[in-house]
Amino acid sequence: MTERSGPQAHGATADVRGGPGSDPLAAATLPGRLGAGTGDNLHIGYRRVSLRFAGVTGVVGAAAVLLVLLGPLGALLAHLTPGTVRAALAGPGALQPLVTSVEASAVSLGVLVVVGTPLAWAMARGRLPAPRAWETGVLVPLLMPPLVIGLLLVFLAGPATPVGQGLAHVHLSASNTFFALVVAETYESAPYYVLGAEAAFAGVDRELEEHAALLGDSPARAFRRITLPLAAPGLASALSMAWARAIGAFGAVIIIAYHPYGLPMQIWVTLQQSGLAAALPFALVLLVVALPLPLVAYVWTARARSDTVAGPSGVADVAPAGWATRPVRARR
Amino acid sequence: MLTADVTVERRDLTVQVDLTVPAGTVVALYGPSGAGKSTLLAAIAGLVPLHAGSVWLGDRLLATGSAARRHAGGGLPLRDRGVGLLAQRPGLFPHLDAAANIGYALPGGGRDPRVGRLAEALDLTDLLAARPGRLSGGQCQRVALARVLAAEPRVLLLDEPFTGLDPELRARVSMLLAEEVARRQVPTLLVTHDLADAQRGADRIAVLDKGRCLQVDDPVRVVAAPATVRVAALVGYRALVPARLVQGAPVAGGRGAPPSSSGPLVPPGASILGVHPDRLVMDAGRASQAPVTAWLQATVTAVRAAGAGMQAEMELQDGSIVPLAIAPGVPVPAPGERLPVGVADAPWFDAAGDLVGERSEAGARLQGWG
Amino acid sequence: MKTHMQARWSGFPVRRRAVVAVAFVGVIVGACTSARSDGAAGTSTSAGVVVAHRSGTADVAFAGSLLAVDDKVVGPGFAHATGYTYTGRGGGSLGLAHEIASGEIAPGVFESVGSAPVAIVGSRRSPWYVQFAASPLVIAYNPNGTYGTTFERVAAGRLPLADAFDAMAAPGFRLGRTNPATDPQGQAFVMMVELAQRTLGLPAGIVEQILGPGVTTGGTGTTGQIFSETSLDAHLQAGQLDAASAFRSQAVQLHLHYLTLPAAVDLGDPADASGYAKASLVVPATATQAATTVHGAPLVIDIATVREPAQAADDAAAATAFVAYQLSAAGRQAYAAAGFTLLPATVVGTRSSVPASVLAAVRASG
């Protein structure tokens, strides 16, 4: 804990951020405000004008970006009619891939939560030797194209490899099985969860954990009462991101888990067999299944953020800095 | 009793302090920014590892430095230390409302009766349902203090507890603290950069500078008898005047009759006189009753309103500028006017900057002079 | 892709993002290097007069099994000889045909295995096509696998071919094939096993022993055998399969060990078409398609132009020129070298709409 100027300094930084900067519109109205009132009024004037300016350009820009991003979704909905969707979903066994996908993704995420959460925490708190090595290791599956992951998994865990023979002893195979699907999905989604969770934990101010300890909490109790609730929104968004990656995993899946079909394979096979029109309804199913969790997590995160960080003053000194940015840690 | 004999390595500073806080007393850590006050507090709390030394609370070893670490494991875990730390950043838990924050360490949580009592004492009753994000800086500070007190710690470490509080709340907080300290006989360390806060709340003041403790003394003696010129500068002495400029009697040209001064003008070995603005006198009539040690030649550089009275800015012969309150009824001097000013009961320092002579008597006299 | 990742990763510390960036640079450099070597391989085959560059692009969609020969040999040779630009894309023949039929892609030329995909494209876009080569099936095998020695001996003629099929029927044999629902090779492989059972006098149940129950009657068979076209060879080369379905051209290009099959079984000889037709397979129904029965037919390579109303004249000319080049001596030689069986070029469909240059090339092929 170094000597620092505390809340005031934080407040000042926040003001600069919200202030006009090089905003010409705000600068133009400045003289009138100067004559008008106190420093506080001046300050509020700044902010209001810059907000209005940001409003005009911001809304237009954001709308443009949103249109581009949502374009594919719009195209999808435009090409679907209720009839085709109904026909596609009513086919024999049409929903089995959905069940398979949901089950495999749930198992993947379960594994990630159990194994990845402690790893992410240890990485965030610098509890591991050679931290760079761990970070790189987690990044590798992210940096490799999923197709390459799939091919390497063939070499690593194919039935003729030592790993594959070991798996055979416990009646598992990483080739064209449900287990293979889970493995492929786990590889594709793990970096998203672990790195997201690490950021979520790193965002929790360590001073808060120390305060909890000084107030009598054991490390486990402080983790449950402080770290976990504060990291929860970040963990949830990491988890939902991982969910979307897992359920949509394709590159590694097509290599080692052609069967049993999950949703992406179903889309691919239907596209190959019957063309785009027949495949689109399943794309809709994938979206419907993959999207809600991220959306819920997003809404929750946003609400948690506004709950804790809003307020006219005393903001920056109490909000855990990591909610908006990386925490500014006091150097010891 | 808290006994801390610690060395803490900070990147830019080594803090090395040996300090004892008896049960039921408040010791203020007073010093400029960057002196290592908060670092020392963090080290005692256990948030910063000790480089050497140890922290004892009674017969319990809270923390120990690297030399002894092999045997003691660095001290007790944080949760067993019984330390109540009010840090400079309040560190409230943002996902809990004020009541839950205050009651964090209590079995009943936010509904524990102690929460209500502390909230009442700190004027927080209306804010108990609010999350920290909705509270002002001062409100957060008070919630954090209530949280510390609610846990009934065995030692209190308070970093600038009065920051951001208006005068009424300041009084309220310092009264509550005094009650708690007296009732539970807790050794208390209070960090402040404001001498008035230190004098108001503490039984003793430890003056810290550049990681070293320069003087530990009662609040009067720290100002009356600063151990060195550095302490003098830290506690408000505005000028350190060479002995050759000091006169035994006011020089002609001043107003009123020049009073006579008795006693030795410059004690043996002394070469520097400490000048504190609060001990300057101009009124010849009153000065005769005050123990004026020395007279200095000064020039009025400016006169301005100060509070309900007036204040003159006096330039001494060595070039230092000292403010001088003009007592009611005394004619206000004009800028440019040359005047003798008397220094009442001022400390003398030798050439090395150390205090000359035993000043306990002087301190007592100063109290009487008021 | 990169921006997408940046957005997602903006939450992570700068130094970590730096690691990502460095890795990206590595990947890109690697990609560039390999692209350069590809290009060199493509141009090395052609020599001679330099032809002036012509505007017009021959956009060729072809069955995935033709990828290597088209992209590396025929395409660059065509570009060098005619001055047109060549772009190629490979995929499952049936999948590509569906995409063309629905207007998702609009290539100028379509080369498929078997005539069924051209029929899907439709006579409006492709009123004619030319058969010019055949792609016989082989059984690629892993010489180091459990059954490697058996296959080696069969390949050397020291054991009868029937022993290879007996091995494939053994429990624990790891066979790989492609999806009959999407890939003509996947269908052909099933029918090849049926033909082998009849021709070699194997026990009646061996088809289902090798491929799984219901494989010819609308069931899925053993799904663990089914891999994507893209990865089947990789699984075999990684030593994770004992044997896999392959076209001879694939086996030649990838230097796989393979068993050549008799003409009556390998679906590569149009003269045996009537024999092939005795084999059949039911492709299960989907939401939009009823179950269909597919009969064995020679695995003939067909080439056709694909007409679109919006097609530029330059591109149409380039497409026609590509077909003519493919049927020329150079184009046919490239296919022969790549492991295909050359057939006399034969026009199927509306002969009157075949361009003169293509007809000339057909006649020249003999």
Side-chain angles (χ1 to χ4, degrees), chain B residues 187-247:
Chain B
T188 300
L189 266 176
L190 176 125
V191 163
T192 179
H193 67 277
D194 183 345
L195 187 62
D197 279 343
Q199 289 175 319
R200 180 173 30 237
D203 302 301
R204 290 173 82 73
I205 295 177
V207 181
L208 241 65
D209 187 44
K210 299 196 174 103
R212 300 300 164 118
C213 188
L214 303 182
Q215 186 175 3
V216 185
D217 235 324
D218 65 66
V220 173
R221 281 185 49 86
V222 163
V223 183
T228 63
V229 287
R230 179 61 186 154
V231 176
L234 291 174
V235 299
Y237 285 82
R238 294 289 290 268
L240 296 162
V241 181
R244 62 186 161 76
L245 300 176
V246 178
Q247 289 150 353

Side-chain angles (χ1 to χ4, degrees), chain A residues 88 132 135 142-143 151 154-155 158-161 176 192 195-196 198 241 254-255 258-259 261 269 272-274 276, chain C residues 8-9 12 15-16 23 95 98 104 174 179 181-182 223-224 226-228 231 234-235 238-240 286-289:
Chain A
R132 292 289 162 83
E135 280 174 13
L142 183 80
L143 296 177
L151 290 172
V154 172
F155 280 100
T161 63
N176 278 352
Y192 291 85
L195 295 179
E198 186 201 354
M241 206 71 82
I254 194 176
I255 306 288
Y258 197 95
H259 274 285
Y261 292 159
V269 169
Q272 294 286 301
Q273 194 176 356
S274 317
L276 184 69
Chain C
R8 180 164 322 231
W9 291 103
F12 295 101
R15 64 193 157 87
R16 199 168 299 137
H98 282 298
E104 290 159 54
R174 291 195 297 265
N179 190 349
T182 59
T223 54
I226 297 181
F227 295 87
S228 65
S231 70
H235 283 273
Q240 306 308 315
T286 67
T288 50
Q289 287 175 330

Side-chain angles (χ1 to χ4, degrees), chain A residues 3 205 213 217 225 308 310 313 320, chain B residues 37-38 79 89 94-95 104 133:
Chain A
E3 312 263 337
D205 194 338
D217 275 1
R225 294 177 79 191
T308 356
S313 58
Chain B
K37 307 186 295 286
S38 296
R79 63 178 157 136
R89 293 204 295 160
H95 58 302
Y104 188 84

